[in-house]
Amino acid sequence: MGKIISLANQKGGVGKTTTAINLAASLASLGKKVLIVDADPQANASSGLGIDIRTLQFTIYECLIDGVPSNQAIHPTDVENLFILPSHIDLVGAEIEMLNMDMREYVMQKLLSPLKSSYDYILIDCSPSLGLITVNALTSSDSVIIPVQCEYFALEGISKLLNTIKIIKNKLNTTLEIEGFLLTMYDNRLRLANQVYNEVTKHFQGMVFKSVITRNVRLSEAPSHGKPVILYDPESKGSTNYIDLANELIAKTSK
């Protein structure tokens, strides 16, 4: 049975989509069968894996709103074992359309639960908000990875996200756990980055992944080529970081 993991942080620009793409590709390269669910209307995870969203007949929007079966919307990628349920800008309107649905917080869970037996990992790339789509993602997940960038204001807003997770755990998904905090955009030459690193590890202790994602030019360039960094530049620091993270996650979830 696979594990569903959301990547969430309502603060934008923290490396959620970069992590979704590259962690998924790294897990796939290690022999795991992985599905990315792009739950962000910006659809960056879809385009970052080379999907041309303009040509798609079905996306997560049609699955959630029109009841289109997920297998009609899932696409293979250039990485063996890695598949994606793509997004579209239409997803912006889905939150309003879902308001009048019965059990509106469980629509995504209904969509993803049957897929758990087909994949080792299902990673949900959440939008930078705490709206109904993100609530759906967290309600359908076993756990959540919280990327935290090593910059000023890094911890700002995390308390709000943790409060949302607590509410969802109490009312909608009692088994939801925090898989871990992931430090991103780390530059050990900067005193501030080291201060944030120390603050996060002191505050959350064992809940912080040992793997840290360092600032890396190749990692930033890869999405514009529609590739994860493991294909774009397998020797780069970014590629190594995400392989380390994938190995750490596999070790953690196989206990």
Side-chain angles (χ1 to χ4, degrees):
M1 185 65 82
K3 185 164 193 179
I4 301 179
I5 304 174
S6 278
L7 289 103
N9 190 331
Q10 79 274 19
K11 197 173 186 317
V14 299
K16 271 192 310 293
T17 301
T18 300
T19 296
I21 291 171
N22 292 294
L23 173 57
S26 298
L27 288 165
S29 75
L30 294 169
K32 302 298 180 183
K33 191 176 179 187
V34 186
L35 173 68
I36 290 186
V37 177
D38 191 349
D40 186 346
Q42 295 176 81
N44 290 335
S46 305
S47 58
L49 283 169
I51 302 290
D52 185 353
I53 57 174
R54 296 167 299 180
T55 63
L56 299 176
Q57 184 180 2
F58 300 123
T59 65
I60 189 172
Y61 172 82
E62 285 77 19
C63 295
L64 293 173
I65 303 303
D66 302 327
V68 169
S70 56
N71 61 353
Q72 291 187 36
I74 291 172
H75 293 261
T77 70
D78 290 340
V79 181
E80 192 180 353
N81 292 324
L82 178 58
F83 300 81
I84 186 162
L85 177 53
S87 185
H88 192 273
I89 192 65
D90 288 350
L91 195 61
V92 167
E95 299 213 347
I96 296 166
E97 294 177 71
M98 289 165 70
L99 283 176
N100 296 322
M101 288 185 178
D102 290 333
M103 307 284 283
R104 62 189 181 193
E105 296 89 357
Y106 295 93
V107 181
M108 196 180 293
Q109 186 187 71
K110 198 171 154 190
L111 175 69
L112 298 183
S113 288
L115 299 174
K116 282 184 83 169
S117 57
S118 302
Y119 297 92
D120 296 304
Y121 294 94
I122 297 175
L123 302 184
I124 307 175
D125 183 28
C126 296
S127 66
S129 76
L130 294 177
L132 188 54
I133 298 287
T134 300
V135 168
N136 261 264
L138 294 171
T139 301
S140 62
S141 296
D142 298 302
S143 64
V144 54
I145 290 174
I146 303 171
V148 180
Q149 88 280 35
C150 293
E151 292 176 359
Y152 195 57
F153 294 136
L155 295 177
E156 192 180 75
I158 285 187
S159 58
K160 194 174 178 185
L161 175 62
L162 293 178
N163 193 46
T164 301
I165 291 169
K166 188 178 174 184
I167 291 167
I168 288 170
K169 191 174 166 75
N170 287 339
K171 298 190 174 178
L172 299 169
N173 179 5
T174 55
T175 58
L176 181 65
E177 299 292 341
I178 293 175
E179 194 69 53
F181 292 84
L182 174 68
L183 288 154
T184 63
M185 305 178 196
Y186 178 69
D187 185 342
N188 62 4
R189 296 169 302 174
L190 301 178
R191 185 190 297 173
L192 179 62
N194 289 302
Q195 284 173 344
V196 172
Y197 176 85
N198 292 333
E199 196 175 337
V200 173
T201 48
K202 180 181 161 190
H203 202 72
F204 298 110
Q205 296 173 352
M207 294 168 75
V208 182
F209 283 103
K210 290 184 174 64
S211 307
V212 173
I213 310 304
T214 51
R215 280 198 178 277
N216 182 250
V217 174
R218 308 300 271 171
L219 192 57
S220 306
E221 291 172 349
S224 64
H225 295 268
K227 292 179 179 180
V229 72
I230 198 168
L231 289 186
Y232 180 63
D233 187 350
E235 303 299 317
S236 68
K237 188 72 176 161
S239 182
T240 308
N241 288 163
Y242 277 108
I243 287 288
D244 289 346
L245 177 63
N247 277 312
E248 186 176 350
L249 182 63
I250 291 168
K252 199 174 181 189
T253 51
S254 60
K255 282 179 185 174

